[in-house]
Amino acid sequence: MTTPLDDSVQYLKHVGPSRAEDFARLGIHTVRDLIWTFPRDLSDRSNLFRIVDLPEERPATVVATALMVSERPAGRRRGRAGMGITTAEFADDSGGILEVVWFNQPWLKDKLPGSRVLIHGKAKHKGDRRVMEHPLYEIVPEDTPVHTLNFGRIVPIYPITGSLNQSVWRRAMAHALDTRLEFLEDPLDQDLIGRSHFMGLR
């Protein structure tokens, strides 16, 4: 007897036929396969720091507002145009300034100014400033939670291939757990689970 756990992963939100092919390359064909695929690593992004409290050279997450964003070329390489460098300044209520540098992401110049942004990376201390190079980021509107699938929690890290980046993985897994977890049957007897104080499979 089949259950919704036996559905193809292509029917999960944000997947579809093309990404389902990429999942298949990893041996993942059904929702059941997906749920039983565990992260290869975890990233602790559960603690939010103020800019002035960012640790030196350790992964940390901050939420701040973009003040100024600029774009400049990085020169030429062997006759070809070099990378573009986007530099942004962020501030929060701590009074600190975080300077962030991204490479080859020119669209950020129009996307970031005035935005409230979650940023995760390793900061270097330069006087009273903090500097991050190419951190992860996510724009979060004002008055919305800063706990997302990618920030404000312990975040799973999955193997990536083709179109399967971490955001695709997390959205697909979240949808699978939200809609199919009730069909997952525990192989242990419920009385045994209760007597032994085991955690249920779900």
Side-chain angles (χ1 to χ4, degrees):
M1 177 179 175
T2 62
T3 75
L5 291 171
D6 300 303
D7 291 346
S8 168
V9 291
Q10 74 170 306
Y11 299 118
L12 293 172
K13 284 182 181 178
H14 315 292
V15 179
S18 177
R19 285 172 174 164
E21 291 180 5
D22 289 331
F23 274 120
R25 293 189 184 97
L26 298 174
I28 300 168
H29 304 278
T30 67
V31 176
R32 189 190 307 275
D33 295 335
L34 183 73
I35 289 177
W36 282 105
T37 302
F38 300 108
R40 62 175 176 79
D41 202 357
L42 298 170
S43 175
D44 188 352
R45 304 177 191 172
S46 57
N47 295 318
L48 295 178
F49 289 82
R50 302 188 309 160
I51 290 176
V52 296
D53 297 326
L54 282 169
E56 176 103 23
E57 294 286 2
R58 290 202 342 255
T61 305
V62 64
V63 57
T65 300
L67 302 179
M68 181 181 67
V69 185
S70 61
E71 171 77 13
R72 65 180 175 84
R76 301 179 66 85
R77 293 184 177 181
R78 296 180 181 179
R80 295 181 300 173
M83 293 186 298
I85 297 177
T86 303
T87 303
E89 288 189 354
F90 292 87
D92 63 9
D93 58 9
S94 72
I97 296 293
L98 174 65
E99 182 179 306
V100 178
V101 178
W102 284 283
F103 305 102
N104 280 345
Q105 297 196 36
W107 59 87
L108 293 179
K109 183 179 179 182
D110 299 319
K111 187 177 181 181
L112 288 182
S115 296
R116 180 175 176 242
V117 185
L118 280 159
I119 307 163
H120 179 80
K122 294 181 179 180
K124 297 178 181 178
H125 294 189
K126 292 188 177 181
D128 60 351
R129 286 189 168 226
R130 306 291 185 265
V131 179
M132 283 187 186
E133 290 190 355
H134 213 69
L136 301 171
Y137 72 93
E138 183 174 334
I139 295 175
V140 285
E142 296 291 341
D143 301 321
T144 60
V146 293
H147 295 80
T148 70
L149 280 178
N150 302 304
F151 293 94
R153 65 178 66 210
I154 296 176
V155 175
I157 307 296
Y158 294 100
I160 59 175
T161 184
S163 62
L164 303 182
N165 58 34
Q166 297 299 331
S167 291
V168 170
W169 261 102
R170 292 170 196 148
R171 290 197 302 265
M173 188 68 77
H175 187 227
L177 294 174
D178 287 344
T179 60
R180 267 74 163 194
L181 190 60
E182 64 181 289
F183 299 100
L184 194 63
E185 294 185 0
D186 205 312
L188 296 182
D189 180 81
Q190 294 301 307
D191 289 338
L192 173 61
I193 291 174
R195 289 197 311 272
S196 305
H197 305 289
F198 290 155
M199 183 181 292
L201 179 59
R202 292 176 187 173

